[in-house]
Amino acid sequence: FGAAALNNGNANITLTPGAGGTATATLSTLTRPSNDTTHGGTVRFSTTGTTIISETTRSTLLVDNQGNPYATYGLNDWAGTDAGGNVIVASLEETINSSVTWGTTHTSAGPLKFDNSSGAIQLTTKNNTTYTIQGGYLMTPNSKGVTIQGAGASASWIRPFKNAGASGSDVTVFQNSTQGDMIWGNEFNIPNGGTAGALFNLVKAGVGRLITGTDEGYSKVFLNEGTLQIIRDGQIGTVTGSVEFYGGTLEAAATASF
């Protein structure tokens, strides 16, 4: 294939080898536009067959031009590439399988992956503290539920990467579990390289439910798959652009303005 671009919605690149055979798809390039409020595309590569992105050298994680991930390898891992451009499991991801509290700093810069099959867990962030990670949250089908919550009354933030001077930055959530929800119980704001109060785009993929508890709002929301639930007024009421539907369901348990 020639050049491929992920503009909006979720794409599935699925290869099914025949009995005793192989299946390979080669893309000359794969572009995921960002740095705006126009594009919110995601992609899921199958774990069967081989997908090759010819232009790439080894990449520990497939990211957009702000450094944030947009692609998974199957339902359980973020996607990267090897030296030959073959799409594989990303080597840069942080797996969390039990409840954890972050201190004033957090050393990992990789996107988060939750694979907690034993029961629901909570990631607690320190009161009035800002962390920067590559802006991705992945819940595997095994996950029994994840809550991300600040430790005190003042807000804490987990912000995505953002180049200085860039006009936009994305946080992508692949919520692939129907055994439990992902709940954002604290604030998410201030992209890296931006100024205080700067907003970002929320991109939701995966069949599971994301319940957002932030009052900060987003520049834009791209609902590609699954369910996005609002549980009190104002949680996405400060969207400065719009909510775009490419699949999935928006649930409101309270009055909200868009």
Side-chain angles (χ1 to χ4, degrees):
F1 300 94
L6 296 171
N7 292 317
N8 291 303
N10 184 72
N12 288 290
I13 299 179
T14 304
L15 303 178
T16 306
T22 61
T24 301
T26 301
L27 309 176
S28 62
T29 62
L30 178 63
T31 303
R32 199 292 196 172
S34 65
N35 190 28
D36 57 31
T37 56
T38 304
H39 304 98
T42 52
V43 61
R44 183 180 297 110
F45 294 97
S46 68
T47 57
T48 56
T50 302
T51 302
I52 302 171
I53 305 173
S54 299
E55 67 170 348
T56 65
T57 56
R58 177 174 173 78
S59 175
T60 56
L61 183 71
L62 287 175
V63 296
D64 61 27
N65 59 7
Q66 302 298 307
N68 297 302
Y70 60 84
T72 64
Y73 185 68
L75 298 172
N76 294 305
D77 293 286
W78 293 102
T81 55
D82 64 15
N86 299 285
V87 176
I88 58 173
V89 173
S91 60
L92 182 62
E93 61 180 18
E94 178 180 1
T95 301
I96 300 176
N97 291 330
S98 59
S99 294
V100 63
T101 298
W102 284 354
T104 54
T105 60
H106 186 67
T107 57
S108 172
L112 302 182
K113 167 185 165 180
F114 300 94
D115 191 35
N116 48 299
S117 59
S118 298
I121 62 173
Q122 179 166 307
L123 167 60
T124 303
T125 57
K126 185 174 176 59
N127 189 37
N128 198 27
T129 301
T130 299
Y131 310 87
T132 300
I133 65 169
Q134 288 181 288
Y137 301 81
L138 168 63
M139 277 180 66
T140 74
N142 297 323
S143 177
K144 294 297 194 300
V146 175
T147 298
I148 304 176
Q149 179 66 52
S154 298
S156 58
W157 297 268
I158 302 177
R159 64 189 184 182
F161 283 11
K162 179 178 178 291
N163 296 331
S167 60
S169 185
D170 297 338
V171 169
T172 298
V173 177
F174 279 92
Q175 210 294 53
N176 295 323
S177 176
T178 58
Q179 301 187 65
D181 300 328
M182 174 172 279
I183 302 172
W184 284 0
N186 64 343
E187 309 280 5
F188 286 76
N189 199 17
I190 316 177
N192 187 34
T195 57
L199 304 181
F200 59 83
N201 304 321
L202 170 63
V203 182
K204 168 64 175 69
V207 298
R209 178 184 287 107
L210 169 64
I211 301 174
T212 176
T214 175
D215 286 332
E216 295 297 332
Y218 314 99
S219 298
K220 200 162 196 176
V221 174
F222 297 92
L223 183 51
N224 294 347
E225 294 179 305
T227 300
L228 175 64
Q229 184 181 92
I230 310 159
I231 57 174
R232 72 175 186 273
D233 185 27
Q235 287 178 344
I236 58 175
T238 54
V239 171
T240 58
S242 61
V243 180
E244 294 193 6
F245 294 85
Y246 297 95
T249 302
L250 179 64
E251 295 180 346
T255 300
S257 300
F258 303 94

